[in-house]
């Protein structure tokens, strides 16, 4: 059950929580999103998997964010349920079942998909048919051993594919 408190100290004094507590300041989310969107010239996506709390998503929406990095059908359904077709869902999980592609494309109107292997692109073409109405984002493998945390072997198609 959500509670509303003027500040965190009052919340702690009243609830005396023994477990972690979420403090969602939707007006701060909206202001921060608005400031970022006003200063960034590109398209900005929020990764729903980071925090899918509807209040979090609503705060970002109130700040003007309209693009969502969704990695599953439940995430797409959540965003569509909150914001309808006004939200743009980008299906950013690189490996999707045929049924998930079909449902995302035909039931939920998703037109932006990520792939990192030619087999995934072929699977999309098999299900969707004409991909001319579809944005296909290809994740490329990052150069190895140049990052603080090397994820080069985990994500992205290699350059020889």
């Amino acid at each position: 059950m959500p509670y509303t408190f003027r500040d965190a100290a009052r919340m702690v004094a009243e609830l005396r929580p023994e477990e972690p507590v979420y403090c969602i300041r939707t007006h701060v989310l909206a202001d921060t999103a608005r400031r970022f969107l006003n200063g960034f010239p590109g398209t900005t996506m929020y990764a729903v998997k980071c925090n899918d709390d509807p209040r979090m998503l609503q705060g970002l929406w109130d700040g003007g964010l309209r693009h969502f990095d969704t990695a599953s059908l439940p995430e797409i359904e959540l965003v569509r349920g909150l914001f309808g077709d006004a939200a743009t869902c980008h299906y950013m999980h690189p490996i999707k079942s045929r049924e998930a592609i079909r449902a995302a494309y035909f039931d939920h109107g998703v037109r932006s998909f990520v792939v990192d292997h030619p087999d995934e692109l072929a699977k999309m073409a098999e299900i969707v048919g004409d991909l001319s109405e579809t944005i296909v984002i290809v994740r490329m493998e990052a150069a190895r051993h140049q990052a603080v945390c090397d994820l080069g072997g985990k994500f992205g198609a290699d350059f020889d594919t």
Side-chain angles (χ1 to χ4, degrees):
M1 175 179 186
Y3 297 92
T4 302
F5 296 94
R6 191 161 39 159
D7 56 48
R10 288 184 188 199
M11 184 268 309
V12 170
E14 187 173 324
L15 295 181
R16 304 183 94 37
E18 294 183 19
E19 299 291 327
V21 176
Y22 287 104
C23 296
I24 302 173
R25 301 172 62 201
T26 55
H27 68 285
V28 173
L29 286 169
D31 290 345
T32 302
R34 192 174 298 109
R35 255 192 338 273
F36 186 85
L37 292 168
N38 286 337
F40 184 74
T43 299
T44 301
M45 285 186 262
Y46 174 74
V48 176
K49 67 181 155 265
C50 293
N51 186 336
D52 65 354
D53 187 293
R55 294 165 294 184
M56 178 80 169
L57 300 176
Q58 186 65 55
L60 296 169
W61 181 267
D62 292 345
L65 192 126
R66 297 295 182 264
H67 292 263
F68 295 88
D69 168 344
T70 52
S72 66
L73 285 176
E75 289 180 5
I76 293 168
E77 290 164 355
L78 173 63
V79 170
R80 285 286 187 249
L82 290 169
F83 312 118
D85 291 337
T88 301
C89 292
H90 303 266
Y91 203 161
M92 301 300 282
H93 194 295
I95 302 170
K96 297 167 278 304
S97 70
R98 284 173 168 71
E99 192 51 45
I101 293 169
R102 187 175 291 107
Y105 191 89
F106 293 107
D107 298 343
H108 301 292
V110 175
R111 294 296 182 269
S112 175
F113 294 81
V114 73
V115 299
D116 65 2
H117 194 275
D119 291 349
E120 285 297 308
L121 184 60
K123 186 175 12 173
M124 284 185 55
E126 171 191 321
I127 293 160
V128 172
D130 179 11
L131 291 174
S132 65
E133 300 290 319
T134 308
I135 297 169
V136 178
I137 301 163
V138 179
R139 292 192 330 178
M140 299 302 294
E141 183 177 10
R144 311 262 342 233
H145 311 295
Q146 296 180 3
V148 174
C149 182
D150 184 7
L151 298 174
K154 183 174 181 181
F155 298 108
D158 63 39
F159 287 96
D160 296 329
T161 302

